[in-house]
């Protein structure tokens, strides 16, 4: 039903008026997500693709057939059913840049003064190249702050990223809360989240272009080019230099289910519901 409703909704979106002129706005006011009907349409089709892939390997034959039909329809009719084509198509909603309605993670750290959770060592080690087979990931310095960086400096963005991997340390996965507090209060021996994540106006992602690239890699038989495009798109979104991102992508291990989904998992950082759905669906990554 969700697939049918989305298709019907997408079909009703008009990008030109009765005279053939482009429609500039979805709504004249109050639209903080899409702005244009083209972006709204791409979001709807990308969401259809995500849901169809979620259902593409279920045991129910009728549901599986419906999912495959949806995937085929989108792939064979890109003009009628366009999907996200660049980071400009990513749909996200920023919180307010103040202490009244900031992002929840900012509120926890800077208003509630919670310091009992931080990035997990399993994920930090994955980006440090100490787990998995990808080497050192340039998003390491974007996702996390060097250990011993004060919250004051993170809030002000007043710290330097480091190439010294020993500066990035995750909290042991599954640590009890009492021990978590101790790790921070005894000298901040583990890393906090990076300055971009801890911004008051951090933007919550509904769906992003990098994810669509990984979806297209999967439906095209774990295609290498879409795999690389997904990694580059994710890195560029987080502020990694394009040349650095491209060089990293060109050195990736072969595109296959495990490698593509693991890179997708990395790109889905801060989108935990979708990252968990993919882990549950595929069993990857196996670096946890």
């Amino acid at each position: 039903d969700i697939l049918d409703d989305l298709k019907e909704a997408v079909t009703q979106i008009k990008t030109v008026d009765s005279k053939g002129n482009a429609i500039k706005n979805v709504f004249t006011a109050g639209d903080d997500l899409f702005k244009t009907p083209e972006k709204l349409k791409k979001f709807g089709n990308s969401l259809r693709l995500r849901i169809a892939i979620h259902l593409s390997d279920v045991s129910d034959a009728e549901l599986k057939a419906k999912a495959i039909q949806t995937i085929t329809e989108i792939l064979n009719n890109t003009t009628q059913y366009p999907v996200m084509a660049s980071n400009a198509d990513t749909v996200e909603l920023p919180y307010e840049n103040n202490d009244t309605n900031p992002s929840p993670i900012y509120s926890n750290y800077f208003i509630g003064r919670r310091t009992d959770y931080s990035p997990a060592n399993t994920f930090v080690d994955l980006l440090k190249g100490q787990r998995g087979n990808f080497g050192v990931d340039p998003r390491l310095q974007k996702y996390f702050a060097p250990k011993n960086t004060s919250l004051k400096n993170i809030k002000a963005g007043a710290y330097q990223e480091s190439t010294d991997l020993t500066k990035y340390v995750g909290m042991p996965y599954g640590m009890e809360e009492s021990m978590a507090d101790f790790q921070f209060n005894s000298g901040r021996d583990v890393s906090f989240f990076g300055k971009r994540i801890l911004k008051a106006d951090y933007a919550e992602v509904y769906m992003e272009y990098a994810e669509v690239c990984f979806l297209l890699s999967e439906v095209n038989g774990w295609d290498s080019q879409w795999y690389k495009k997904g990694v580059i798109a994710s890195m560029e979104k987080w502020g990694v230099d394009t040349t650095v991102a491209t060089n990293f992508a060109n050195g990736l291990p072969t595109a296959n289910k495990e490698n593509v989904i693991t890179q997708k998992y990395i790109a889905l950082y801060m989108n935990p519901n979708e990252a968990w759905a993919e882990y549950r669906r595929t069993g990857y990554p196996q670096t946890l």
Side-chain angles (χ1 to χ4, degrees):
D1 287 344
I2 292 174
L3 290 174
D4 289 338
D5 288 346
L6 279 171
K7 181 179 178 179
E8 182 180 357
V10 166
T11 302
Q12 292 176 4
I13 298 170
K14 304 301 180 185
T15 58
V16 295
D17 60 24
S18 59
K19 296 180 180 180
N21 299 316
I23 298 173
K24 296 180 180 180
N25 302 97
V26 178
F27 301 105
T28 56
D31 177 18
D32 293 320
L33 288 174
F34 302 105
K35 309 297 184 184
T36 67
E38 288 86 353
K39 186 171 181 177
L40 178 60
K41 197 164 193 173
K42 289 177 181 178
F43 173 72
N45 288 318
S46 299
L47 193 56
R48 289 175 67 205
L49 186 62
R50 173 202 275 179
I51 294 168
I53 290 176
H54 279 187
L55 301 172
S56 62
D57 199 30
V58 296
S59 57
D60 185 288
E62 183 178 354
L63 194 55
K64 181 175 182 177
K66 178 73 173 180
I68 293 173
Q69 176 190 355
T70 299
I71 293 168
T72 303
E73 181 178 66
I74 293 172
L75 294 181
N76 291 343
N77 298 276
T78 54
T79 301
Q80 184 178 2
Y81 302 115
V83 296
M84 293 179 182
S86 73
N87 277 331
D89 294 325
T90 290
V91 178
E92 56 186 11
L93 182 66
Y95 289 89
E96 295 179 14
N97 191 22
N98 55 47
D99 284 0
T100 304
N101 295 301
S103 76
I105 194 169
Y106 172 93
S107 180
N108 284 342
Y109 266 72
F110 298 113
I111 299 174
R113 300 296 178 183
R114 283 189 61 181
T115 56
D116 59 337
Y117 69 100
S118 74
N121 65 322
T122 50
F123 192 66
V124 174
D125 291 349
L126 174 59
L127 269 64
K128 287 169 68 174
Q130 296 173 355
R131 296 172 187 256
N133 60 341
F134 299 107
V136 180
D137 192 304
R139 286 166 290 191
L140 174 72
Q141 291 85 357
K142 307 300 180 183
Y143 288 174
F144 319 120
K147 68 177 185 176
N148 299 318
T149 304
S150 69
L151 283 175
K152 179 180 178 181
N153 285 343
I154 292 177
K155 186 176 183 180
Y159 68 88
Q160 295 294 319
E161 297 175 357
S162 177
T163 56
D164 182 356
L165 298 184
T166 65
K167 297 288 188 181
Y168 296 92
V169 179
M171 182 179 289
Y173 185 75
M175 175 170 284
E176 292 184 6
E177 184 175 351
S178 59
M179 292 299 294
D181 282 328
F182 175 77
Q183 288 226 13
F184 285 111
N185 295 334
S186 62
R188 292 183 297 276
D189 296 320
V190 298
S191 295
F192 286 123
F193 300 95
K195 56 189 175 184
R196 179 164 174 170
I197 292 174
L198 290 178
K199 289 169 55 179
D201 59 348
Y202 173 79
E204 202 75 49
V205 176
Y206 286 73
M207 192 169 188
E208 62 184 284
Y209 170 59
E211 181 189 344
V212 174
C213 292
F214 293 119
L215 293 172
L216 291 171
S217 174
E218 179 171 350
V219 297
N220 285 288
W222 308 110
D223 177 78
S224 177
Q225 292 305 308
W226 281 116
Y227 167 51
K228 293 178 181 179
K229 286 182 180 180
V231 172
I232 293 171
S234 173
M235 290 187 174
E236 288 181 338
K237 174 200 164 186
W238 285 93
V240 175
D241 179 79
T242 298
T243 300
V244 173
T246 302
N247 289 339
F248 180 86
N250 287 335
L252 285 168
T254 304
N256 56 32
K257 183 176 182 179
E258 179 172 6
N259 290 335
V260 173
I261 296 298
T262 301
Q263 279 298 322
K264 183 178 182 181
Y265 182 86
I266 294 172
L268 286 170
Y269 193 54
M270 299 304 294
N271 189 348
N273 291 335
E274 189 59 25
W276 168 246
E278 286 299 273
Y279 175 68
R280 188 177 62 172
R281 178 176 75 93
T282 66
Y284 296 114
Q286 295 187 349
T287 55
L288 303 180

